Amino acid sequence: MSADHAEKACELFAGGLNCSQSVFAAFADVTGMDYDLALRLSSSFGGGMGRMREVCGTCSAMFMIAGILYGLGESYSHEEKTEHYRRIQELASLFREKHDTIICRELLKELRVTSDPEPEKRTEQYYKVRPCIKFVRTAAEILDRYIAENPPSQNRQ
């Protein structure tokens, strides 16, 4: 496992990837997912799901990674499903502890963001005012800590 997925995720975000891609692709070494496939899969979740400003893309990435590492396949018990949903709610709660919400529009309320489908240009000014890199870092740190404390079963990949 990479020593610091948070740094990798922040580098990816600063390099132009969306929030979800940055977190999800930073953990490709853990999930075993092809990097390009990881980018394509997570590309729809940036801006709170296609810039609709719903669930923060970093949280969506955390939940997808948790699904790969701990999720359920075709056959599972009611208890296993409950436990997995509990895990997702715990990850969301850890994010909320730092930022009060997991909803993109609420995280960005000071910026008066829109849900227009056209993404903003990644300029120096964008990075100066945009708090998203903090959310990228938080999500990656939460996942690193969670995975360290809850190693996934070896037969998952």
Side-chain angles (χ1 to χ4, degrees):
M1 185 185 328
S2 169
D4 197 349
H5 291 102
E7 283 305 314
K8 175 70 173 170
C10 289
E11 287 171 17
L12 293 172
F13 185 77
L17 295 182
N18 76 35
C19 55
S20 186
Q21 288 175 309
S22 300
V23 174
F24 195 71
F27 282 83
D29 64 320
V30 175
T31 63
M33 184 172 282
D34 172 79
Y35 185 76
D36 184 61
L37 180 59
L39 292 178
R40 288 186 283 130
L41 176 65
S42 56
S43 66
S44 302
F45 296 89
M49 300 185 181
R51 282 184 53 97
M52 291 187 293
R53 306 302 181 192
E54 299 296 339
V55 173
C56 175
T58 67
C59 291
S60 294
M62 278 197 305
F63 305 156
M64 288 188 289
I65 293 164
I68 292 170
L69 298 180
Y70 308 100
L72 308 167
E74 191 171 86
S75 208
Y76 52 85
S77 69
H78 180 77
E79 292 76 19
E80 289 169 321
K81 188 175 189 179
T82 300
E83 182 56 32
H84 187 62
Y85 287 169
R86 183 175 288 117
R87 173 180 296 112
I88 299 309
Q89 290 182 14
E90 179 182 347
L91 292 170
S93 178
L94 291 167
F95 189 90
R96 267 193 216 98
E97 284 176 17
K98 296 259 190 197
H99 303 294
D100 298 323
T101 184
I102 66 167
I103 304 301
C104 177
R105 79 176 69 80
E106 294 170 7
L107 290 164
L108 300 180
K109 66 181 176 263
E110 303 299 320
L111 296 179
R112 296 185 306 217
V113 294
T114 70
S115 57
D116 182 297
E118 184 177 343
E120 295 172 52
K121 301 278 191 243
R122 295 294 183 93
T123 63
E124 189 176 324
Q125 183 61 23
Y126 172 93
Y127 289 110
K128 279 184 183 174
V129 300
R130 195 58 140 213
C132 300
I133 200 158
K134 289 188 307 190
F135 311 138
V136 166
R137 179 174 298 283
T138 295
E141 288 173 347
I142 287 169
L143 268 176
D144 266 337
R145 196 166 39 254
Y146 188 88
I147 293 166
E149 293 171 3
N150 304 277
S153 300
Q154 293 303 314
N155 63 355
R156 300 300 292 175
Q157 296 176 14

